[in-house]
Amino acid sequence: MPKEAQADGRQKRADYASTKVRRLGAWIQGVDPDSPAYDAGLEPGMRIDKVNGVVPRDIIDWRWYASDDEADLEVFDPEDGQEYACTLYREPGQDWGVDFTDVLFDGIRTCVNACQFCFMRMLPDDARASLSLRDDDYRLSFLQGNFVTLTNMTDEDVDRVINWRLEPMNVSLHAVSPDVRRSLIGPHAQRGMDVLERLCQAGIEVHGQIVLCAGINDGEELHRTLDWVEAHDAVTSLALVPMGYTKYSRNFSHSFSEDREASRAVVRLIEPYQRRARERLGITRFQLSDEFYLDADLPVPDADTYDGYPQFYDGIGMLRSFLDEVRDIGDSRVDELRGVTRRLAARDERALLVCGEAALGVMRTLCRAWANVCDVDDARVEATPIHNDYYGGDVNVTGLIVSCDLLAQLPGDLTGRVVVLPEVMFNFDKVTLDGDTQQHILDEIGRRGGRALVVQTTPGSLLDALAQDGAVTN
């Protein structure tokens, strides 16, 4: 696989719950000035229909077939409705300078499964339609880290992954016993195992995931699944995450979040597999999501346990990373921490760090560490948890905070408050899961007399934003 074909930012979160209408085709979104694409006359709004004689299905095709220093294109210009031929030339190592409106040109592959624990089946009736789009596209697994079941892949798709080395693939495994998989996933469950076996035999690196459902794929079935993974070295990491449910679920009314002993049993069960992996491979490999340690009331493991955080955005190691960063800024950014507290005091302001209830403990750890550094009882920075009434159930993470809960639970009078909103509660269109816009929320906070910041929820980012005092004044 050409290096350029692999450089599409796999750490970015895909957002196919966008409110924008997507069009099929390789539509150009932007062209860099003085680039080969600019020199060839390409402009935003045009569509590339062929590259070196091939109709590109996705950004992978584009990067593969345009990997040389010359590319013959067929381009459609909607301004006059005409098709044009042009050739792009570039120096070795130079980028073509063209960005597309999407990474998938032929549309997204949707799910053919009927997973019992599917979050899309637990949404309120009035949820916007785009949230119900159940993607299961192997290309987004490679490009953006989405987890896929492999059940809708054709043999041609599998050959493409193997021959082009589209790795790592992020695969939802859940269980290995045919009857349990069929119960959990549906009638296409075996196809996923067959494809996964082929990928592993071909040496394709896999990051696996198990959504653990109490009484279904835990206990002895979990042992069987872990044994299978242990025998397949191509699976370099395996994440175990607890099933979450909303108040709209028809199948579930409890999970590990309500059962400390069950959570502790999962921690104990996985420890021998972690120990053997470290002894044989030098990596922990089998990873538990942060929720298990919170639910089990156990300490979060050290950073070395997480093997460089290959599944960070699946909730694996976020707490450890956060806690370590709290320690780091407490050691290295003392003057900034003290400066923020002094400025807040001078303005008679307080910073409210909005978070989900699951993150309340670590947010309070940050606030306590901040106060200790400043040698005060109150650093004027406080965690503000939002209870998720919209989804209910055991939903309590920051990324699922919605506008109606936020605005209902923030004080009616926000005078002297800097409300620090988590960026992750908004999609790429700056819209919340309940359909409100970021600007409306900022306006409402301003109407109540407050100011607002939208920030990534890491200690360093929170400190950066408050230290720069980049609050949005409404």
Side-chain angles (χ1 to χ4, degrees):
M1 186 74 178
K3 289 183 179 179
E4 187 180 356
Q6 301 181 38
D8 199 63
R10 292 175 227 165
Q11 296 305 313
K12 296 178 181 177
R13 291 181 298 117
D15 184 12
Y16 277 81
S18 173
T19 56
K20 296 178 180 177
V21 176
R22 285 180 164 87
R23 295 182 294 173
L24 298 184
W27 292 95
I28 297 174
Q29 178 171 271
V31 176
D32 295 338
D34 301 321
S35 65
Y38 179 87
D39 293 340
L42 297 186
E43 297 179 357
M46 292 181 176
R47 185 184 68 211
I48 297 176
D49 288 341
K50 288 186 179 180
V51 50
N52 290 327
V54 177
V55 177
R57 297 163 289 183
D58 45 49
I59 195 74
I60 304 171
D61 271 355
W62 164 255
R63 296 187 183 279
W64 181 274
Y65 291 110
S67 60
D68 294 330
D69 295 330
E70 180 178 327
D72 293 323
L73 306 182
E74 292 184 19
V75 181
F76 172 73
D77 186 350
E79 288 291 324
D80 58 13
Q82 298 297 310
E83 189 95 18
Y84 297 96
C86 67
T87 301
L88 274 58
Y89 304 93
R90 65 177 175 181
E91 298 297 323
Q94 184 181 18
D95 190 83
W96 290 121
V98 59
D99 293 316
F100 298 96
T101 59
D102 205 339
V103 295
L104 305 180
F105 306 153
D106 61 355
I108 189 170
R109 305 276 188 92
T110 53
C111 183
V112 298
N113 304 313
C115 295
Q116 287 191 42
F117 51 81
C118 179
F119 197 79
M120 307 301 185
R121 302 171 68 181
M122 306 183 202
L123 297 176
D125 292 337
D126 60 352
R128 70 177 187 270
S130 58
L131 292 175
S132 299
L133 176 63
R134 297 188 300 142
D135 64 277
D136 196 20
D137 198 310
Y138 76 94
R139 298 168 298 179
L140 294 181
S141 179
F142 168 67
L143 290 167
Q144 298 178 323
N146 290 19
F147 278 91
V148 294
T149 65
L150 311 177
T151 57
N152 62 0
M153 289 183 67
T154 66
D155 289 341
E156 180 186 6
D157 295 333
V158 180
D159 290 340
R160 187 188 190 201
V161 171
I162 293 172
N163 295 334
W164 290 17
R165 307 305 297 182
L166 304 184
E167 58 185 347
M169 293 295 291
N170 297 274
V171 179
S172 292
L173 179 57
H174 304 318
V176 295
S177 298
D179 56 335
V180 178
R181 280 183 59 82
R182 196 161 44 247
S183 171
L184 274 172
I185 300 173
H188 302 284
Q190 187 57 44
R191 175 60 178 172
M193 285 303 300
D194 293 342
V195 171
L196 182 55
E197 287 280 8
R198 277 198 62 193
L199 297 182
C200 289
Q201 289 170 9
I204 296 295
E205 183 183 4
V206 171
H207 294 314
Q209 179 200 61
I210 295 173
V211 175
L212 206 60
C213 303
I216 300 177
N217 60 340
D218 58 350
E220 287 305 311
E221 180 58 28
L222 180 57
H223 268 299
R224 283 188 283 271
T225 305
L226 298 181
D227 289 344
W228 185 94
V229 172
E230 200 169 42
H232 290 75
D233 286 352
V235 183
T236 58
S237 72
L238 180 72
L240 277 75
V241 301
M243 181 273 302
Y245 66 94
T246 77
K247 62 186 178 183
Y248 303 99
S249 172
R250 297 178 180 177
N251 296 326
F252 302 99
S253 59
H254 72 281
S255 187
F256 292 92
S257 56
E258 297 97 355
D259 193 334
R260 185 177 67 173
E261 289 308 312
S263 297
R264 290 188 171 188
V266 174
V267 176
R268 289 193 296 269
L269 186 152
I270 201 174
E271 285 174 343
Y273 293 91
Q274 294 175 319
R275 183 178 62 253
R276 289 195 295 270
R278 286 192 290 266
E279 292 171 352
R280 188 170 71 87
L281 302 172
I283 57 175
T284 304
R285 194 186 186 195
F286 298 89
Q287 307 281 4
L288 287 171
S289 71
D290 297 344
E291 294 101 316
F292 276 112
Y293 296 105
L294 289 175
D295 297 339
D297 194 23
L298 293 172
V300 180
D302 293 336
D304 290 346
T305 302
Y306 294 101
D307 303 333
Y309 301 100
Q311 298 208 34
F312 186 79
Y313 287 109
D314 199 26
I316 310 297
M318 283 186 173
L319 290 182
R320 171 45 57 199
S321 177
F322 190 99
L323 293 169
D324 287 350
E325 194 172 343
V326 169
R327 181 199 62 216
D328 291 344
I329 66 171
D331 292 339
S332 63
R333 302 182 66 178
V334 174
D335 289 343
E336 291 171 271
L337 291 165
R338 290 174 176 170
V340 168
T341 295
R342 283 196 301 269
R343 284 194 294 275
L344 289 170
R347 296 171 181 171
D348 195 21
E349 289 183 331
R350 300 186 66 80
L352 308 183
L353 309 183
V354 172
C355 63
E357 291 177 315
L360 179 59
V362 293
M363 280 295 190
R364 284 180 172 167
T365 297
L366 169 62
C367 296
R368 286 194 297 270
W370 198 318
N372 289 338
V373 167
C374 297
D375 196 24
V376 295
D377 293 331
D378 179 7
R380 289 185 168 267
V381 177
E382 64 184 73
T384 302
I386 302 298
H387 178 73
N388 202 309
D389 290 317
Y390 182 76
Y391 286 117
D394 69 346
V395 175
N396 60 6
V397 296
T398 301
L400 295 181
I401 292 175
V402 295
S403 174
C404 62
D405 290 337
L406 173 75
L407 296 178
Q409 295 173 42
L410 285 177
D413 183 1
L414 288 169
T415 303
R417 300 293 185 266
V418 181
V419 181
V420 184
L421 299 173
E423 184 182 70
V424 72
M425 68 177 284
F426 301 100
N427 73 357
F428 293 162
D429 303 329
K430 298 184 179 180
V431 175
T432 61
L433 285 164
D434 60 342
D436 200 2
T437 65
Q438 183 180 108
Q439 189 58 53
H440 174 260
I441 293 173
L442 299 182
D443 290 343
E444 176 60 21
I445 290 171
R447 190 188 67 78
R448 299 183 189 185
R451 298 190 292 138
L453 290 162
V454 181
V455 182
Q456 291 183 357
T457 50
T458 64
S461 296
L462 291 167
L463 177 56
D464 287 343
L466 289 169
Q468 295 165 10
D469 199 24
V472 178
T473 303
N474 296 278

